[in-house]
Amino acid sequence: DAGITQSPRHKVTETGTPVTLRCHQTENHRYMYWYRQDPGHGLRLIHYSYGVKDTDKGEVSDGYSVSRSKTEDFLLTLESATSSQTSVYFCAISERLGAEQTQYFGPGTRLLVL
Amino acid sequence: QKEVEQNSGPLSVPEGAIASLNCTYSDRGSQSFFWYRQYSGKSPELIMFIYSNGDKEDGRFTAQLNKASQYVSLLIRDSQPSDSATYLCAVVPSGSARQLTFGSGTQLTVLP
């Protein structure tokens, strides 16, 4: 998993509660990403970071916020979880592959919002 | 219109056959293309990448790219039951070297 860990790996929560997912990497990668994966939709980008305190929105950012206070940690927060945010969440890092960049993924977090 | 299209499947092939997975993309400026394999309950893992028109072979896998037709494919020769997984096509969109756009994946089952 390219030195990427995610916590928690599984979480069940109730609608309206805040939830924070953590992504930790040990190889000093500058770029980090949060995706969600749902049946029929593939992987969709939520937010990404290009450095400490530097973040930007992806395709499906509504209802999510992120923070990156250290290079190794990228946090995804659901301020008030909704059932539509039930999903599998993957963190990824960007790494050079030849002349290009590609992405490697963490193990994922399964989130169920009741 | 989705930017990266894949047939969702499921695609079933007998063991030993060639599995052909297809992907089309809408961004004509895309230059880099990746195939990920994802086993059920696991994270996607990179298996192939291709940047130039033509074929690229790696073991039993061959990636084919045709930029004029905006088409990329993955062939798996001598398919094995262990190849049963969902295969995701990913494209680097023009102007976004650090991002990937994913297709929704094709589920492949290799029957013993």
Side-chain angles (χ1 to χ4, degrees):
Chain A
D1 293 331
I4 306 168
T5 58
Q6 292 185 231
S7 59
R9 295 292 313 279
H10 299 86
K11 186 169 183 66
V12 180
T13 191
E14 293 186 349
T15 298
T17 60
V19 176
T20 295
L21 309 182
R22 179 183 183 236
C23 178
H24 180 77
Q25 54 114 346
T26 59
E27 298 179 6
N28 207 36
H29 295 290
R30 180 180 170 199
Y31 280 77
M32 298 181 74
Y33 307 80
W34 276 108
Y35 290 89
R36 62 178 289 174
Q37 187 174 37
D38 306 288
H41 290 280
L43 286 156
R44 293 183 290 174
L45 183 65
I46 305 171
H47 282 279
Y48 67 99
S49 170
Y50 47 97
V52 173
K53 292 188 168 57
D54 292 322
T55 65
D56 206 348
K57 296 179 180 180
E59 177 189 356
V60 290
S61 60
D62 286 349
Y64 302 95
S65 62
V66 290
S67 65
R68 193 165 178 203
S69 58
K70 298 185 290 184
T71 298
E72 58 266 36
D73 289 326
F74 191 30
L75 303 181
L76 176 71
T77 297
L78 292 65
E79 301 289 349
S80 178
T82 68
S83 58
S84 64
Q85 293 176 310
T86 291
S87 187
V88 180
Y89 292 86
F90 289 103
C91 175
I93 57 89
S94 177
E95 189 170 283
R96 180 166 294 279
L97 183 64
E100 302 291 339
Q101 299 283 339
T102 191
Q103 293 180 20
Y104 296 92
F105 289 84
T109 294
R110 290 185 176 274
L111 176 67
L112 174 61
V113 183
L114 299 175
Chain B
Q1 181 184 359
K2 203 161 166 38
E3 295 179 19
V4 179
E5 296 271 5
Q6 295 181 254
N7 289 328
S8 60
L11 172 66
S12 295
V13 299
E15 184 173 355
I18 296 176
S20 178
L21 305 163
N22 304 316
C23 173
T24 58
Y25 59 95
S26 60
D27 183 351
R28 188 168 286 278
S30 297
Q31 297 294 323
S32 306
F33 307 87
F34 304 89
W35 284 98
Y36 287 80
R37 177 177 63 199
Q38 186 175 25
Y39 292 114
S40 181
K42 302 295 186 182
S43 59
E45 58 176 321
L46 181 68
I47 56 170
M48 286 289 289
F49 60 94
I50 187 166
Y51 308 141
S52 304
N53 275 329
D55 295 359
K56 178 181 179 183
E57 187 174 317
D58 184 1
R60 296 187 296 111
F61 297 100
T62 299
Q64 300 176 316
L65 176 60
N66 184 326
K67 291 185 179 179
S69 299
Q70 296 176 237
Y71 176 95
V72 58
S73 65
L74 178 70
L75 302 178
I76 306 174
R77 291 184 301 282
D78 188 24
S79 295
Q80 301 297 310
S82 59
D83 295 324
S84 298
T86 296
Y87 290 80
L88 302 168
C89 173
V91 174
V92 176
S94 54
S96 303
R98 292 283 192 161
Q99 295 193 33
L100 291 176
T101 301
F102 286 85
S104 55
T106 298
Q107 183 180 343
L108 171 67
T109 300
V110 180
L111 303 170

